[in-house]
Amino acid sequence: MTKILIVDDEPTVRALLRDVLEIEGYDIAEASDGESAIAAVADEVPDLLVLDVMMPGMSGIDVLMQLREQHSNNQLPIILLTAASDDDTTWRGWSSGASIYLQKPFDPSHLLDWVERLISGPSGPSPAGPAGDGAGSGPDDEGLLSEFGGLSNE
Amino acid sequence: MSVLTVRDMTRERRIERMKSDFIATVSHELKTPITPIKGYSQLLLTRWDRLDQEKRERMLQTMLERSEHLSRLVEDLLIASKVSELETTKLDIRSTEIQLSDIVNDVTAASPELADRLTVNGADTQVFCDRQRAVQCLSNLVNNAKKYSEPGTEILIRSEVPEDGEFATIAVIDQGRGIPAEEVDRVFEQFYRVEDPMTMTTGGTGLGLYISRTLARAMGGDISVESVFGEGSTFELSLPRTQVSEGETA
């Protein structure tokens, strides 16, 4: 069973992520801060991480940088999630090794498309490729492309 | 003349910076509750048949709670836009005689998630204030205590009624990170936040304490703070025990 670790300090957002991912059959573990996320990964490496940026203490970017010292993008895809929309945070997220960067409030179908794409593709995200079979929900290619469009405009 | 220009530019730049920080923090605070509202509505719309009744109800309940939180936030912003230290008369304060414990009970009842962290003790007496506004002040102090302290640590709510005193007080005492001495005087300033707004590891608009103190003063009371950096903070809400006559409010 595909295991996903969700890391967010906001309980309602964690609950939402769990609900969205569990309905598609993913096995979910939770962490409410950066330190326990690092500990959880050290304990058992999940198949994917959904990581909030703005958390008290260790930020999502700190967690990301630390994890990338040991786990490559292919070994551990990481979806960064944040409410910040400033260019600086976005850039720091990308340059620290996020597989994909999604903004809150996120679209659940959009998140599921990315999870599926990142988990099924051993070579990581491929912006031009199809998003796979789409378990129950069709891939939102326009949305996916615009996500990358946002990056290439930087 | 040139000196004046330089000073004006510095001031302008400072205001500009404060404005952009404020917009960044407010948009973050607004997006946080919108995330579950948007996410759950979409989930319910697209996967209704795959969710059982219990889950649907829980999701709708979360959406309702988050909407209420959002409304309070917008309300705070509106209050902040209306008030300045000199213009408290614009606030709609309706003071009545209530018990100090009513305020504390309203706040604890609204924070069930803090039940195992809150300790309530102290005396009770009658105070003269606007119940809803006083609850707003106290719940703001409790939320701050929660926000700036380690999960699981105790938050003490202590009521005191000094003998023959004009005021009764409710103190919120946390064991959190505290406030650096040089910043204690600034925490009640509008938009002021103890940490660098650009990093924003802790949510908040920088309006809570400003609004709370303005409301407390409009009711004839006040909010004060004592803090030891690294050990915790004590915020104290004082409320008049009898009706404050016109013109006496701070």
Side-chain angles (χ1 to χ4, degrees), chain A residues 3 10-11 18-19 21-22 24 36 47 57 65-66 72 85 90 107 115 121 128:
Chain A
K3 189 172 176 181
E10 188 65 36
R18 176 183 278 276
D19 285 327
L21 295 165
E22 269 184 351
E24 296 302 335
S36 40
D47 296 292
M65 291 197 315
Q66 195 165 325
S72 72
S85 44
T90 313
D107 186 327
V115 168

PDB file of all heavy atoms in Angstrom, chain A residues 3 10-11 18-19 21-22 24 36 47 57 65-66 72 85 90 107 115 121 128:
ATOM      1  N   LYS A   3       2.335   4.614   0.936  1.00  0.00           N
ATOM      2  CA  LYS A   3       2.275   5.357   2.187  1.00  0.00           C
ATOM      3  C   LYS A   3       2.658   6.819   1.978  1.00  0.00           C
ATOM      4  O   LYS A   3       3.691   7.123   1.388  1.00  0.00           O
ATOM      5  CB  LYS A   3       3.208   4.713   3.211  1.00  0.00           C
ATOM      6  CG  LYS A   3       3.019   5.307   4.581  1.00  0.00           C
ATOM      7  CD  LYS A   3       3.796   4.550   5.629  1.00  0.00           C
ATOM      8  CE  LYS A   3       3.626   5.268   6.962  1.00  0.00           C
ATOM      9  NZ  LYS A   3       4.357   4.616   8.031  1.00  0.00           N
ATOM     10  N   GLU A  10      -1.640  22.808  10.962  1.00  0.00           N
ATOM     11  CA  GLU A  10      -3.068  23.122  11.094  1.00  0.00           C
ATOM     12  C   GLU A  10      -3.883  21.823  11.062  1.00  0.00           C
ATOM     13  O   GLU A  10      -3.938  21.135  10.037  1.00  0.00           O
ATOM     14  CB  GLU A  10      -3.461  24.028   9.924  1.00  0.00           C
ATOM     15  CG  GLU A  10      -4.839  24.612   9.986  1.00  0.00           C
ATOM     16  CD  GLU A  10      -5.066  25.568  11.146  1.00  0.00           C
ATOM     17  OE1 GLU A  10      -4.131  26.314  11.507  1.00  0.00           O
ATOM     18  OE2 GLU A  10      -6.180  25.544  11.694  1.00  0.00           O
ATOM     19  N   PRO A  11      -4.552  21.471  12.207  1.00  0.00           N
ATOM     20  CA  PRO A  11      -5.262  20.185  12.275  1.00  0.00           C
ATOM     21  C   PRO A  11      -6.326  20.028  11.187  1.00  0.00           C
ATOM     22  O   PRO A  11      -6.481  18.929  10.646  1.00  0.00           O
ATOM     23  CB  PRO A  11      -5.915  20.198  13.660  1.00  0.00           C
ATOM     24  CG  PRO A  11      -5.231  21.262  14.438  1.00  0.00           C
ATOM     25  CD  PRO A  11      -4.660  22.246  13.464  1.00  0.00           C
ATOM     26  N   ARG A  18      -5.836  14.082   4.764  1.00  0.00           N
ATOM     27  CA  ARG A  18      -6.095  12.669   5.043  1.00  0.00           C
ATOM     28  C   ARG A  18      -7.353  12.200   4.311  1.00  0.00           C
ATOM     29  O   ARG A  18      -7.355  11.168   3.649  1.00  0.00           O
ATOM     30  CB  ARG A  18      -6.234  12.454   6.563  1.00  0.00           C
ATOM     31  CG  ARG A  18      -6.589  11.033   6.947  1.00  0.00           C
ATOM     32  CD  ARG A  18      -6.787  10.891   8.449  1.00  0.00           C
ATOM     33  NE  ARG A  18      -5.539  10.732   9.180  1.00  0.00           N
ATOM     34  CZ  ARG A  18      -4.913   9.563   9.333  1.00  0.00           C
ATOM     35  NH1 ARG A  18      -5.401   8.466   8.784  1.00  0.00           N
ATOM     36  NH2 ARG A  18      -3.791   9.502  10.019  1.00  0.00           N
ATOM     37  N   ASP A  19      -8.432  12.985   4.416  1.00  0.00           N
ATOM     38  CA  ASP A  19      -9.687  12.608   3.768  1.00  0.00           C
ATOM     39  C   ASP A  19      -9.519  12.477   2.253  1.00  0.00           C
ATOM     40  O   ASP A  19     -10.018  11.543   1.645  1.00  0.00           O
ATOM     41  CB  ASP A  19     -10.775  13.645   4.089  1.00  0.00           C
ATOM     42  CG  ASP A  19     -11.291  13.509   5.521  1.00  0.00           C
ATOM     43  OD1 ASP A  19     -11.326  12.375   6.034  1.00  0.00           O
ATOM     44  OD2 ASP A  19     -11.645  14.540   6.122  1.00  0.00           O
ATOM     45  N   LEU A  21      -6.787  11.956   0.490  1.00  0.00           N
ATOM     46  CA  LEU A  21      -5.884  10.880   0.063  1.00  0.00           C
ATOM     47  C   LEU A  21      -6.424   9.493   0.434  1.00  0.00           C
ATOM     48  O   LEU A  21      -6.270   8.540  -0.333  1.00  0.00           O
ATOM     49  CB  LEU A  21      -4.494  11.095   0.655  1.00  0.00           C
ATOM     50  CG  LEU A  21      -3.783  12.367   0.138  1.00  0.00           C
ATOM     51  CD1 LEU A  21      -2.594  12.720   1.009  1.00  0.00           C
ATOM     52  CD2 LEU A  21      -3.349  12.199  -1.314  1.00  0.00           C
ATOM     53  N   GLU A  22      -7.101   9.410   1.574  1.00  0.00           N
ATOM     54  CA  GLU A  22      -7.616   8.107   1.995  1.00  0.00           C
ATOM     55  C   GLU A  22      -8.717   7.596   1.070  1.00  0.00           C
ATOM     56  O   GLU A  22      -8.836   6.399   0.846  1.00  0.00           O
ATOM     57  CB  GLU A  22      -8.150   8.187   3.442  1.00  0.00           C
ATOM     58  CG  GLU A  22      -7.073   7.844   4.464  1.00  0.00           C
ATOM     59  CD  GLU A  22      -7.585   7.826   5.888  1.00  0.00           C
ATOM     60  OE1 GLU A  22      -8.736   8.241   6.143  1.00  0.00           O
ATOM     61  OE2 GLU A  22      -6.823   7.414   6.778  1.00  0.00           O
ATOM     62  N   GLU A  24      -8.827   7.735  -1.958  1.00  0.00           N
ATOM     63  CA  GLU A  24      -8.220   7.071  -3.110  1.00  0.00           C
ATOM     64  C   GLU A  24      -7.354   5.873  -2.676  1.00  0.00           C
ATOM     65  O   GLU A  24      -6.576   5.347  -3.462  1.00  0.00           O
ATOM     66  CB  GLU A  24      -7.387   8.055  -3.932  1.00  0.00           C
ATOM     67  CG  GLU A  24      -8.216   9.184  -4.558  1.00  0.00           C
ATOM     68  CD  GLU A  24      -9.340   8.691  -5.491  1.00  0.00           C
ATOM     69  OE1 GLU A  24      -9.224   7.577  -6.028  1.00  0.00           O
ATOM     70  OE2 GLU A  24     -10.337   9.423  -5.641  1.00  0.00           O
ATOM     71  N   SER A  36       9.040  16.309  14.045  1.00  0.00           N
ATOM     72  CA  SER A  36       8.459  14.960  14.051  1.00  0.00           C
ATOM     73  C   SER A  36       8.367  14.393  12.633  1.00  0.00           C
ATOM     74  O   SER A  36       8.364  13.167  12.465  1.00  0.00           O
ATOM     75  CB  SER A  36       7.105  14.921  14.768  1.00  0.00           C
ATOM     76  OG  SER A  36       6.332  16.030  14.493  1.00  0.00           O
ATOM     77  N   ASP A  47       6.329   6.772   0.757  1.00  0.00           N
ATOM     78  CA  ASP A  47       6.449   6.838  -0.705  1.00  0.00           C
ATOM     79  C   ASP A  47       6.366   8.271  -1.205  1.00  0.00           C
ATOM     80  O   ASP A  47       6.831   8.578  -2.299  1.00  0.00           O
ATOM     81  CB  ASP A  47       5.336   6.008  -1.355  1.00  0.00           C
ATOM     82  CG  ASP A  47       5.477   4.542  -1.004  1.00  0.00           C
ATOM     83  OD1 ASP A  47       6.449   3.922  -1.467  1.00  0.00           O
ATOM     84  OD2 ASP A  47       4.638   4.028  -0.229  1.00  0.00           O
ATOM     85  N   GLY A  57       8.478  26.716  14.518  1.00  0.00           N
ATOM     86  CA  GLY A  57       9.712  25.946  14.677  1.00  0.00           C
ATOM     87  C   GLY A  57      10.363  25.767  13.320  1.00  0.00           C
ATOM     88  O   GLY A  57      10.574  26.703  12.581  1.00  0.00           O
ATOM     89  N   MET A  65      15.054  20.743   2.923  1.00  0.00           N
ATOM     90  CA  MET A  65      16.502  20.766   2.691  1.00  0.00           C
ATOM     91  C   MET A  65      17.198  19.641   3.440  1.00  0.00           C
ATOM     92  O   MET A  65      18.099  19.004   2.914  1.00  0.00           O
ATOM     93  CB  MET A  65      17.069  22.129   3.103  1.00  0.00           C
ATOM     94  CG  MET A  65      16.589  23.217   2.157  1.00  0.00           C
ATOM     95  SD  MET A  65      17.494  24.775   2.193  1.00  0.00           S
ATOM     96  CE  MET A  65      17.706  25.121   3.869  1.00  0.00           C
ATOM     97  N   GLN A  66      16.741  19.394   4.653  1.00  0.00           N
ATOM     98  CA  GLN A  66      17.357  18.328   5.438  1.00  0.00           C
ATOM     99  C   GLN A  66      17.088  16.943   4.823  1.00  0.00           C
ATOM    100  O   GLN A  66      17.983  16.112   4.739  1.00  0.00           O
ATOM    101  CB  GLN A  66      16.846  18.386   6.881  1.00  0.00           C
ATOM    102  CG  GLN A  66      17.692  17.563   7.826  1.00  0.00           C
ATOM    103  CD  GLN A  66      17.410  17.903   9.284  1.00  0.00           C
ATOM    104  OE1 GLN A  66      17.132  19.062   9.625  1.00  0.00           O
ATOM    105  NE2 GLN A  66      17.474  16.907  10.140  1.00  0.00           N
ATOM    106  N   SER A  72      16.789  11.518  -2.592  1.00  0.00           N
ATOM    107  CA  SER A  72      16.652  12.265  -3.843  1.00  0.00           C
ATOM    108  C   SER A  72      15.175  12.399  -4.201  1.00  0.00           C
ATOM    109  O   SER A  72      14.312  11.755  -3.610  1.00  0.00           O
ATOM    110  CB  SER A  72      17.376  11.531  -4.959  1.00  0.00           C
ATOM    111  OG  SER A  72      16.638  10.374  -5.308  1.00  0.00           O
ATOM    112  N   SER A  85       2.198  33.375  -1.363  1.00  0.00           N
ATOM    113  CA  SER A  85       2.212  33.453  -2.822  1.00  0.00           C
ATOM    114  C   SER A  85       3.324  34.390  -3.291  1.00  0.00           C
ATOM    115  O   SER A  85       3.356  34.788  -4.438  1.00  0.00           O
ATOM    116  CB  SER A  85       0.852  33.904  -3.340  1.00  0.00           C
ATOM    117  OG  SER A  85       0.383  34.970  -2.561  1.00  0.00           O
ATOM    118  N   THR A  90       8.240  30.945  -3.072  1.00  0.00           N
ATOM    119  CA  THR A  90       8.084  30.004  -4.182  1.00  0.00           C
ATOM    120  C   THR A  90       9.446  29.564  -4.695  1.00  0.00           C
ATOM    121  O   THR A  90       9.711  28.377  -4.876  1.00  0.00           O
ATOM    122  CB  THR A  90       7.301  30.668  -5.337  1.00  0.00           C
ATOM    123  OG1 THR A  90       6.159  31.308  -4.792  1.00  0.00           O
ATOM    124  CG2 THR A  90       6.863  29.646  -6.352  1.00  0.00           C
ATOM    125  N   ASP A 107      -6.694  22.458  -4.826  1.00  0.00           N
ATOM    126  CA  ASP A 107      -7.793  21.735  -5.421  1.00  0.00           C
ATOM    127  C   ASP A 107      -7.542  20.238  -5.183  1.00  0.00           C
ATOM    128  O   ASP A 107      -6.531  19.716  -5.632  1.00  0.00           O
ATOM    129  CB  ASP A 107      -7.752  22.072  -6.932  1.00  0.00           C
ATOM    130  CG  ASP A 107      -8.923  21.503  -7.673  1.00  0.00           C
ATOM    131  OD1 ASP A 107      -9.379  20.420  -7.276  1.00  0.00           O
ATOM    132  OD2 ASP A 107      -9.358  22.143  -8.638  1.00  0.00           O
ATOM    133  N   VAL A 115      -0.151  13.459  -6.915  1.00  0.00           N
ATOM    134  CA  VAL A 115       0.301  12.333  -6.101  1.00  0.00           C
ATOM    135  C   VAL A 115       0.479  11.109  -6.985  1.00  0.00           C
ATOM    136  O   VAL A 115       1.519  10.445  -6.969  1.00  0.00           O
ATOM    137  CB  VAL A 115      -0.702  12.049  -4.954  1.00  0.00           C
ATOM    138  CG1 VAL A 115      -0.401  10.709  -4.292  1.00  0.00           C
ATOM    139  CG2 VAL A 115      -0.658  13.170  -3.928  1.00  0.00           C
ATOM    140  N   GLY A 121       5.531   7.644 -11.562  1.00  0.00           N
ATOM    141  CA  GLY A 121       6.659   7.937 -12.434  1.00  0.00           C
ATOM    142  C   GLY A 121       7.984   7.829 -11.706  1.00  0.00           C
ATOM    143  O   GLY A 121       8.286   8.655 -10.866  1.00  0.00           O
ATOM    144  N   ALA A 128       5.240  17.459 -19.470  1.00  0.00           N
ATOM    145  CA  ALA A 128       4.600  17.337 -20.770  1.00  0.00           C
ATOM    146  C   ALA A 128       3.812  16.039 -20.895  1.00  0.00           C
ATOM    147  O   ALA A 128       2.965  15.900 -21.755  1.00  0.00           O
ATOM    148  CB  ALA A 128       5.650  17.407 -21.870  1.00  0.00           C
TER     149      ALA A 128
END
